[in-house]
Amino acid sequence: MVATTKQNDTKSSVYSTRIDIPGEIRSQVNTLLNQSLATAIDLKTQIKYAHWNVKGKDFYQLHLLFDEIASEVEEFIDLIAERIATLGGKALGTARIAAKESELPEFPFDAVDGMDHVIALSDRLAIYAKSLRKNIDKTNDLGDMDTNDLFIEISRAIDKRLWFLEAHLQSSFQNKDHSNKSEE
Ligand SMILES: [Fe+2]
């Protein structure tokens, strides 16, 4: 049985469940999770784009690194979607919904060299990291510590992958010009 049946509430409706979290809270948590799902799916496709299209002297190691990160994000996509279903919701994870709901800008298609791709992906991982930290706070406020723990797990991994990318930009002769603009 679905808790809310109105047509335009379909996205936030939740099935009844024996889980002892009120439907209203589960619905609010699922809204956060579905936004994060859309962003993660978009992020994964953009990382694969970089994996396929990167050129230059660092091609092979970046080609492999990007694929490693994409695989990790793929695992998080599944964890997020299954948490939504666990909470009685609908995992809104089609490509169309992801493109519409993602928090990321489109990948810059004029990127060619390795560092162009590293900068573009660093910018996008930083946006997702910031969004995850907001969701950590919001799920803490809502009292769903299991989803809070999931966001923390993903956040820590995205931060680490951002380090892997930014380490390419932090050598003594490739300095501040490459830092992203999202520090304010
Ligand atoms: Fe591949």
Side-chain angles (χ1 to χ4, degrees):
M1 191 210 299
V2 181
T4 312
T5 53
K6 274 191 290 179
Q7 192 64 33
N8 56 5
D9 283 345
T10 303
K11 284 186 176 179
S12 57
S13 299
V14 284
Y15 288 93
S16 54
T17 163
R18 288 165 181 77
I19 290 179
D20 60 335
I21 302 173
E24 177 54 32
I25 298 293
R26 288 186 284 115
S27 175
Q28 288 182 53
V29 170
N30 277 347
T31 299
L32 301 176
L33 284 163
N34 265 316
Q35 167 94 79
S36 201
L37 179 65
T39 305
I41 290 169
D42 186 22
L43 179 62
K44 192 211 119 182
T45 66
Q46 294 199 32
I47 299 168
K48 288 299 274 195
Y49 175 94
H51 163 74
W52 296 320
N53 292 300
V54 66
K55 306 285 185 200
K57 65 181 172 56
D58 297 319
F59 163 76
Y60 196 58
Q61 68 102 355
L62 290 177
H63 174 73
L64 295 180
L65 174 61
F66 296 162
D67 212 27
E68 206 177 279
I69 301 174
S71 298
E72 195 169 29
V73 174
E74 175 78 43
E75 286 174 26
F76 295 142
I77 287 168
D78 208 48
L79 290 176
I80 295 167
E82 291 182 356
R83 180 66 186 161
I84 294 167
T86 298
L87 292 174
K90 214 174 265 181
L92 304 170
T94 67
R96 280 173 194 77
I97 294 174
K100 185 163 168 274
E101 302 294 334
S102 170
E103 298 153 279
L104 306 180
E106 181 56 282
F107 198 86
F109 297 124
D110 58 351
V112 178
D113 288 343
M115 289 314 110
D116 296 340
H117 287 82
V118 168
I119 291 165
L121 290 183
S122 296
D123 289 346
R124 282 148 187 77
L125 257 71
I127 292 169
Y128 192 38
K130 187 174 177 178
S131 166
L132 287 163
R133 248 178 290 283
K134 269 192 205 154
N135 285 339
I136 290 169
D137 289 342
K138 287 179 185 167
T139 46
N140 185 50
D141 293 344
L142 289 166
D144 178 357
M145 300 316 285
D146 299 282
T147 304
N148 179 267
D149 180 65
L150 174 60
F151 280 130
I152 289 172
E153 177 188 348
I154 300 171
S155 169
R156 194 167 47 236
I158 294 293
D159 281 352
K160 183 173 177 182
R161 290 312 194 165
L162 185 54
W163 162 44
F164 275 44
L165 293 172
E166 286 189 319
H168 294 84
L169 310 171
Q170 292 167 336
S171 64
S172 57
F173 51 93
Q174 289 176 312
N175 51 26
K176 293 167 185 137
D177 292 338
H178 293 311
S179 64
N180 72 53
K181 311 273 188 295
S182 62
E183 289 175 17
E184 74 273 2

